[in-house]
Amino acid sequence: MKKIAVIAFGMLLFILPTKAQTLESQYGLDSANTILNASLYTEYWKQKNYEEALPSWRYVFLNAPAFQLNTYIRGEDIIEFMIQKTKKKEYVDTLMMVFDRRLQYMGKRSREGYVLGKKGMAQVKYSNGDINMLKAGFDNLMKSYELEGEGTPAQLIHATFEVGCGLVQQNLLSQEEFINLYMKFTDFADKRLASGEKGCDNFAVCKSALDAIFFESGYADCNTLAGLLNQKYEANKDSLPVLKEISSILRRRECTDLPLYATVAEKIYQQEPSADAAYSLAMMFFSKQDIAKFEQYLKEAIDKSDDPKAKADYNYKLAQVYLSKKNYPSAKKYALDALKTNPNMGDAYITIGLAYAVSSNDYEGDEFDKRTVFWAAVDKFVKAKQVDPSVAGKANEYIERYSPHFPTKDEAFFRDITAGKSVKVGGWINETTTARFRD
């Protein structure tokens, strides 16, 4: 440390003050002490010896606040360490001062939204049951979001919404504000995901977290949504963006049987007969069990959609309906169409497998031939978990359920079929599979 002090003193020889030193000047009230203490705390900071760095850092922070941006960047590390070590509220207050003074003295070199985001996160982290501090943290996080715009990180969106959920439970945020926040943030996450930019994948995790928080909050049941969103609709009947927001949230919550959903879906379609509008109408008719109209509008949505993921989802839903109607060839067709635009949709493979398995009795041939259908079915379940690990549990259940229906070795012996041999399953199934046996 003596060596550092000597070096710092040598640097002072080159400083030639040209005007009176004040708190606001770069070197503060005493340029010699500012440079000396900055050198001392910086060396300690580099060694992660934050407690030893504290006195020298504090001098620079209090007496030369305009000296360096590093005063604030490194100061966060030092004070965070002291908070964790001592648990004293005084250090939390100091951390808040670090953010405030950074904006005051380093405003030209710091983005306000970025600093407010850091302050808001710290307020939430150290609120320790102080609801006013939590609310202040939420307000700063929202300001950060407004200022940063598209640059807002997924973690901040997630944290802000999680805090908002706590505030609505404390009656410090209205249900309407909470629902509007959900719509705003999910829309933001969708746009960031669609951008394809670096880091956009983080918003997939973020969106899942937003959905989980919202749907588990107790404020997302259909009756509550109907009451709040009816008011929003009445005040914005001709606003297409608002109508789309209402439709999206009701659809996500599976409240498509509400009269409001039908009204909104029809108005959207009248104004903009897009793929999404057609899909909204399809879901409305599905809730009314008008399957013919459901199919009509869902097929229109498929034809109009330019979004590969949405097109896959639409085709998959149509495949599911045909599966339930026992129209197995059509179920397969639309599941395959779904896979064209989303090759990793495991559920589509499961749908094809189920279409094969439940139609086995209708397959032409004797009992052995019918049992070979289960080979083709299980192939699809295996493929499903290969392309989409999230469906592995479901796929394994179906594999366990249908594998016992495989032919036996004795049955295959009379057909000159051995394990591993390729076998053609014909008809609408039209698959080449591999022989294996249940014993």
Side-chain angles (χ1 to χ4, degrees):
M1 287 301 110
K2 287 182 179 180
K3 182 179 179 181
I4 296 167
V6 170
I7 293 171
F9 179 76
M11 292 172 61
L12 294 180
L13 298 178
F14 295 96
I15 297 172
L16 299 173
T18 58
K19 59 181 179 179
Q21 293 176 319
T22 66
L23 188 68
E24 285 72 25
S25 61
Q26 181 180 0
Y27 294 96
L29 298 172
D30 185 331
S31 57
N33 270 320
T34 295
I35 292 179
L36 175 61
N37 281 285
S39 299
L40 289 171
Y41 92 72
T42 297
E43 287 303 314
Y44 284 127
W45 174 84
K46 288 178 180 178
Q47 299 165 22
K48 300 187 184 301
N49 191 347
Y50 300 128
E51 192 166 8
E52 289 295 331
L54 180 61
S56 298
W57 171 84
R58 182 185 284 123
Y59 176 87
V60 178
F61 178 65
L62 295 176
N63 295 284
F67 179 53
Q68 287 180 325
L69 181 59
N70 277 338
T71 305
Y72 303 95
I73 295 173
R74 294 168 179 173
E76 283 185 53
D77 295 337
I78 294 167
I79 300 304
E80 286 267 12
F81 173 83
M82 296 306 298
I83 293 172
Q84 298 301 324
K85 179 177 181 179
T86 68
K87 312 300 181 187
K88 289 183 177 179
K89 186 178 181 302
E90 289 84 350
Y91 285 113
V92 175
D93 295 338
T94 300
L95 184 61
M96 297 304 113
M97 285 178 62
V98 169
F99 297 123
D100 292 341
R101 285 198 164 202
R102 177 171 176 174
L103 288 176
Q104 181 181 354
Y105 293 101
M106 294 289 162
K108 292 182 180 180
R109 299 178 61 190
S110 301
R111 297 195 318 274
E112 182 181 3
Y114 173 75
V115 177
L116 288 177
K118 291 176 75 68
K119 181 178 180 181
M121 294 289 273
Q123 286 172 307
V124 170
K125 181 178 179 180
Y126 297 118
S127 58
N128 195 29
D130 184 339
I131 196 66
N132 292 324
M133 187 173 180
L134 192 66
K135 180 63 166 62
F138 174 79
D139 291 341
N140 279 321
L141 290 172
M142 286 302 299
K143 288 177 188 175
S144 174
Y145 166 74
E146 291 162 6
L147 291 168
E148 290 291 285
E150 291 184 0
T152 305
Q155 298 92 323
L156 188 140
I157 295 292
H158 179 188
T160 306
F161 191 67
E162 193 165 28
V163 176
C165 184
L167 292 176
V168 72
Q169 292 168 356
Q170 297 284 339
N171 295 318
L172 292 174
L173 203 67
S174 70
Q175 290 185 18
E176 183 176 4
E177 288 173 321
F178 181 60
I179 291 171
N180 286 338
L181 190 63
Y182 171 74
M183 291 191 287
K184 178 186 291 186
F185 281 173
T186 51
D187 181 61
F188 179 80
D190 282 336
K191 289 177 179 176
R192 297 296 297 126
L193 268 171
S195 72
E197 295 175 4
K198 183 179 180 181
C200 70
D201 289 347
N202 293 335
F203 283 93
V205 178
C206 174
K207 188 175 178 182
S208 296
L210 295 178
D211 287 342
I213 293 168
F214 183 65
F215 295 143
E216 293 172 10
S217 68
Y219 299 101
D221 63 280
C222 291
N223 289 333
T224 300
L225 291 176
L228 292 170
L229 295 178
N230 263 312
Q231 297 174 25
K232 194 176 186 72
Y233 167 74
E234 290 298 332
N236 301 275
K237 286 184 177 182
D238 297 315
S239 171
L240 189 58
V242 172
L243 293 173
K244 286 181 176 180
E245 282 184 1
I246 294 172
S247 172
S248 175
I249 196 169
L250 290 177
R251 204 162 65 201
R252 288 178 189 223
R253 197 64 186 100
E254 299 182 356
C255 299
T256 53
D257 56 344
L258 290 175
L260 175 62
Y261 182 83
T263 301
V264 169
E266 289 172 346
K267 285 187 76 73
I268 292 174
Y269 189 80
Q270 289 167 6
Q271 291 189 44
E272 183 183 80
S274 63
D276 191 64
Y279 175 70
S280 293
L281 277 179
M283 297 309 296
M284 177 196 74
F285 285 116
F286 183 76
S287 69
K288 294 180 177 181
Q289 290 301 296
D290 187 338
I291 301 302
K293 286 285 183 69
F294 167 77
E295 291 179 19
Q296 173 190 333
Y297 284 105
L298 194 53
K299 287 178 180 178
E300 181 180 337
I302 291 168
D303 291 339
K304 288 182 173 180
S305 178
D306 295 322
D307 181 343
K309 185 178 183 302
K311 190 184 281 284
D313 290 342
Y314 299 158
N315 276 302
Y316 171 69
K317 281 184 169 58
L318 199 51
Q320 288 290 96
V321 169
Y322 282 125
L323 183 66
S324 67
K325 292 173 65 177
K326 300 182 180 180
N327 186 340
Y328 304 123
S330 291
K332 176 183 178 179
K333 174 192 180 305
Y334 285 102
L336 287 174
D337 285 346
L339 289 166
K340 288 177 183 176
T341 55
N342 186 0
N344 296 323
M345 181 182 275
D347 280 320
Y349 281 109
I350 286 177
T351 296
I352 297 171
L354 288 173
Y356 291 170
V358 297
S359 68
S360 60
N361 284 333
D362 300 327
Y363 186 70
E364 291 186 4
D366 58 21
E367 186 64 22
F368 178 86
D369 294 323
K370 295 181 189 298
R371 288 184 179 276
T372 63
V373 173
F374 292 103
W375 288 337
V378 170
D379 287 345
K380 298 304 176 186
F381 302 140
V382 171
K383 183 68 173 178
K385 63 180 184 177
Q386 286 174 344
V387 301
D388 184 1
S390 71
V391 303
K394 184 164 43 175
N396 286 332
E397 287 181 16
Y398 288 128
I399 291 170
E400 291 177 11
R401 181 184 303 176
Y402 291 113
S403 293
H405 295 284
F406 288 170
T408 65
K409 289 181 181 178
D410 290 341
E411 292 169 336
F413 176 79
F414 295 103
R415 305 295 180 107
D416 194 27
I417 295 176
T418 56
K421 185 175 182 179
S422 292
V423 178
K424 178 74 173 182
V425 180
W428 65 271
I429 294 176
N430 193 30
E431 299 273 6
T432 298
T433 184
T434 302
R436 58 266 201 206
F437 309 110
R438 68 174 186 262
D439 54 3

